[in-house]
Amino acid sequence: MGHDTNYQDREFKTIGTRVKRPDGIDKVTGRAKYGADAFAPGQLVGKVLRSPHAHAIIQKIDISKAEKLAGVKAIITSADLPDLTGSNRGMTDILENCMARGRALYHGHAVAAVAAIDEQTAKQALKLIKVTYKLLPHVTDVDEAMLPDAPIIQDFVLQDGKPSNIAGISTFGHGDVDAGFAEADVIVEKSYKTEQTHQGYIEPHACLANVSSDGSGELWVTTQGHFSFRVVCSTLLGLDMAKLKVTSSEIGGGFGGKTHVWTEPLALALSRKANRPVKLVMTRDEVFKASGPTSSTSMDIKIGAKKDGTITAATAILRYQDGAFPGIWGMLGAMTAYACYDLKNVKTVGHDVLVNRPKVAAYRAPSAPMAAFGVESTMDLVANEIGMSPLDFRIKNAAKEGTQASYGPVYGPIGIGPTLEAVKKHPHMRAKLKKNQGRGMACGFWFNFGGQTCVDLNIGPDGTVSLTIGTIDVGGSRASLSLIVAEELGIPYDQVRTNIGDTASLGHNDTTEGSRGTFSSGMAAIFAARDAVGVLRERAAKMWDIPVDDVVWADGVATATGAKHSNLPPLTLADIAAKAASTGGPIAGHNEVVADNAGVSFASHICDVEVDPDTGGTKIIRYTVIQDAGKAIHPDYVEGQFQGGAAQGIGWALNEEYIYGADGCLQNTGFLDYRIPVCSDLPFIDTQILEIPNPNHPYGVRGVGETSIVPPLAAIGNAVSHAAGVRMTHIPMSAPRILKAIDDAKA
Amino acid sequence: MTGVLVSTTINGDAVQFACPTDETLLDSLRNRVGLTGAKEGCGTGDCGACSITLDGRLVCACLVLGVEANGREIGTVEGLVEDGKLHPLQEKFIEHAALQCGICTPGFLVAAKTLLEKNPKPSEEQIRYALAGNLCRCTGYDKIVRAVQAAAKEMRKK
Amino acid sequence: MMPRISLTSSLRDAVDGAESIELHAETIGEMFAKLAERYPRMADRIDAGIAVAIDGQIYRDDWNAKIPADAAEVFLLPRIQGG
């Protein structure tokens, strides 16, 4: 629409101030409404029956007894969900993941669903559904799934014309790695494994679906993308997209796990069948078993370098499991593995492998943490061999503007160098270490995305401003967007209110992922505000009866320029809004944009740990996150993203893993045995925000939300190697694993 | 439903509801009384998102039966506001950006309030251990601890 | 002077194994249209999602984005998403 997306250096008046978020009071008083907090008259309770087996043919589903139970209003199986996707493989996979079609592909895979008048009746109905299974051999380990005699998960996946569990092999890189290794003075080759983890959002998936007999529907749902949910749900159910209104509730954490549908199509199908609203809330057990955890992986890393510290060649062979349906997770690992470095010869290969586990979903910088664990651990090993400090070794090989990235394109201005220099200067590096303590550092990379975005900016009759956006507020972005509008209009922050519109109120908005929320909606808000300023100037010109070119908007008021207009007092937003009816009607600004060019994001982390040599237990003593944010609109919330990602990475590094039994069933489906960090596990997490403006955003904003989960696994691995003298290659580095490594080293 | 009539006091108000004997107090509060501030994060007492007070004692509402509330006093996050003013904990949580998605916030506020009632000058370690039963996935707890420290300081002035 | 369009390995089978292609286009959309015309198998891959890096900047959606005549590099990648 003709707006300039280039960065313009300027002094900000409101941007960068630490204001109170507009939804704060609702969230501290319990008034805010999340997915499970909606109620509809006559609503039914939905419940899902799930496979107790890892891999089985579903021979028969007998619902006759369940149907007769008083209070049961609808039961669905895959027979109620015909394939309307038009052979769109991606969509059919989603459909089959939401409910099994003839085969249960993982422990917890949905097999049937009921809607009943209350939870007791729904649970009773599930017990009365009789499913006849024929057990099939299963495989849950990524390496085992690649063996020639492994049970095949999907028969449409072929390698060399033969059925295989290897759904994809992606290669990236440039140069000649063989020649590079031949040149090296030092080569380190090592293999690593990481176990499966879950995003761990505290709010389970929840929705309230209401489909009328005329095919129109409403869906209230906790989601990162209500617009994309509308697309998927209407496609799967054959509903008219324009007739399905999806409203996003407040979201109790997402981190990528709420970018996909799991039970929402089932709730809509139940509601359509029962002709009543259906509320479907996942239990915590179901969240672990049947939403979208991240990949477990195994990988082989090889780095060669000269004595002067120059890396001459680097390779990574990565194997990521996608769960039971093909994904691009191995590909993403292969793209990100060496992204921090300037390498002449690099080759990465990512395998996407199917196993009898839930369909993998994105988890904050998806696939990057695992590859970074392997690469950043090996970087330290090479540095040790050469006798160079790990920090200086990274500085020497860091990517910069003009570097060809290992995944292909050439970098513009980037922040890896500055974060490493900041590490060097940071007081954390000089803090004294005590007995059994060690320090480690690591770098991380993630892409940032833009995407389809649109916003509406409306100026009310009293001059207050309402901004309606289509991205979700995962961590305080309503405050940032209000700050942006306040900055553009030159008015106080308190005069702006940001709301999240439902799908009927705005054009399509892409999902809030890829660290794009503040970047994209922010860009659209800037342009919408500038449009509104154009309208305000025209209205002022009308009120004064002077040419619009003689009207200037600055500091929240319209001023008439020129000597002949000097008698005209300035007009505020409120003044102009009060006269809107007679000057042309309601005043608004609007913007649709495909925000793109969000750039890439780099971070460096420093970590001190203390390892108890008698138990292998590891305590985080001190942690520092240094990351480039481009421009921190609201510094508190940028810090919050840094700290939150680091905490998730710490849990991933030390405790969290999916534990499968020999029967292929998930054993730890609750927060007791899937142990995420608690308050007493962590110290204060220091943050340093670097601001190297993104040249492709008017305020220089970069995406910030994801990258901070990438460095912790290796930062902690490197710290443990110094604290305990053992090099850990298996994530999580839980106490038993570290203790075993210590004992093995002594033997 | 074969229900039992429960007569209880919630945030100082007399409340009656009927519920089945196997229903949790969390479900009674949310589905029958309409107080949705307490959240179900796990249903097994591991996450603290349903933290309430029962006769002044911090409990997980998902581990208490609705019928057990009979004749007792319940405190929820909705009761923190007094005379229309936010509790210092609520103020400081907003001021210190101690919430991102906010789902765990009601539980943390109730837990922190009972901590400060028992110990008005807790050390950082005491705060961390008192709140170890409340899970947060967004913040890494840093700003939560700072907000509790700030609220404690504010409350000691009064 | 036509920009050289390089393709990531997973896309090369759709262009008869070529690692790079010379093609004149003023926008990303025009480039996709011409690629699909020249290599019919690319049409499916474009539908499935391709991201374009022009001199290092990644574009995922903006098919109106201009390809400067003096662009040093245009790189085609699979369309990726975050979390």
Side-chain angles (χ1 to χ4, degrees), chain A residues 141 216 326 375 399 495 739:
Chain A
D141 178 78
S216 63
V375 167
Q495 239 180 290
L739 188 59

mmCIF file of all heavy atoms in Angstrom, chain A residues 141 216 326 375 399 495 739:
data_model
loop_
_atom_site.group_PDB
_atom_site.id
_atom_site.type_symbol
_atom_site.label_atom_id
_atom_site.label_comp_id
_atom_site.label_asym_id
_atom_site.label_seq_id
_atom_site.Cartn_x
_atom_site.Cartn_y
_atom_site.Cartn_z
ATOM 1 N N ASP A 141 12.032 -45.316 18.681
ATOM 2 C CA ASP A 141 13.363 -44.711 18.671
ATOM 3 C C ASP A 141 13.739 -44.299 17.247
ATOM 4 O O ASP A 141 13.552 -45.070 16.302
ATOM 5 C CB ASP A 141 14.395 -45.705 19.226
ATOM 6 C CG ASP A 141 15.799 -45.137 19.179
ATOM 7 O OD1 ASP A 141 16.131 -44.316 20.042
ATOM 8 O OD2 ASP A 141 16.567 -45.500 18.254
ATOM 9 N N SER A 216 -23.532 -22.629 10.078
ATOM 10 C CA SER A 216 -22.687 -21.556 10.597
ATOM 11 C C SER A 216 -22.185 -21.986 11.963
ATOM 12 O O SER A 216 -22.828 -22.756 12.665
ATOM 13 C CB SER A 216 -23.464 -20.251 10.681
ATOM 14 O OG SER A 216 -24.520 -20.377 11.595
ATOM 15 N N PRO A 326 4.821 -37.149 8.406
ATOM 16 C CA PRO A 326 6.015 -36.444 7.932
ATOM 17 C C PRO A 326 5.998 -34.965 8.280
ATOM 18 O O PRO A 326 4.957 -34.315 8.237
ATOM 19 C CB PRO A 326 5.950 -36.627 6.409
ATOM 20 C CG PRO A 326 5.063 -37.795 6.183
ATOM 21 C CD PRO A 326 4.075 -37.802 7.305
ATOM 22 N N VAL A 375 26.537 -29.081 17.862
ATOM 23 C CA VAL A 375 27.559 -28.216 17.268
ATOM 24 C C VAL A 375 28.311 -27.437 18.341
ATOM 25 O O VAL A 375 29.544 -27.404 18.352
ATOM 26 C CB VAL A 375 26.918 -27.248 16.245
ATOM 27 C CG1 VAL A 375 27.886 -26.147 15.845
ATOM 28 C CG2 VAL A 375 26.460 -28.027 15.012
ATOM 29 N N ALA A 399 29.823 -15.684 11.978
ATOM 30 C CA ALA A 399 29.272 -15.157 10.735
ATOM 31 C C ALA A 399 29.153 -13.644 10.835
ATOM 32 O O ALA A 399 29.020 -13.087 11.927
ATOM 33 C CB ALA A 399 27.901 -15.759 10.486
ATOM 34 N N GLN A 495 -4.063 6.558 26.166
ATOM 35 C CA GLN A 495 -5.176 6.883 25.285
ATOM 36 C C GLN A 495 -5.410 5.808 24.222
ATOM 37 O O GLN A 495 -6.339 5.906 23.423
ATOM 38 C CB GLN A 495 -4.870 8.217 24.561
ATOM 39 C CG GLN A 495 -5.898 9.307 24.817
ATOM 40 C CD GLN A 495 -5.560 10.582 24.085
ATOM 41 O OE1 GLN A 495 -4.609 11.286 24.410
ATOM 42 N NE2 GLN A 495 -6.345 10.906 23.068
ATOM 43 N N LEU A 739 26.016 -38.755 36.854
ATOM 44 C CA LEU A 739 26.696 -39.605 37.846
ATOM 45 C C LEU A 739 27.367 -40.789 37.170
ATOM 46 O O LEU A 739 28.516 -41.132 37.473
ATOM 47 C CB LEU A 739 25.690 -40.086 38.897
ATOM 48 C CG LEU A 739 26.289 -40.822 40.093
ATOM 49 C CD1 LEU A 739 27.280 -39.928 40.822
ATOM 50 C CD2 LEU A 739 25.197 -41.285 41.044
#
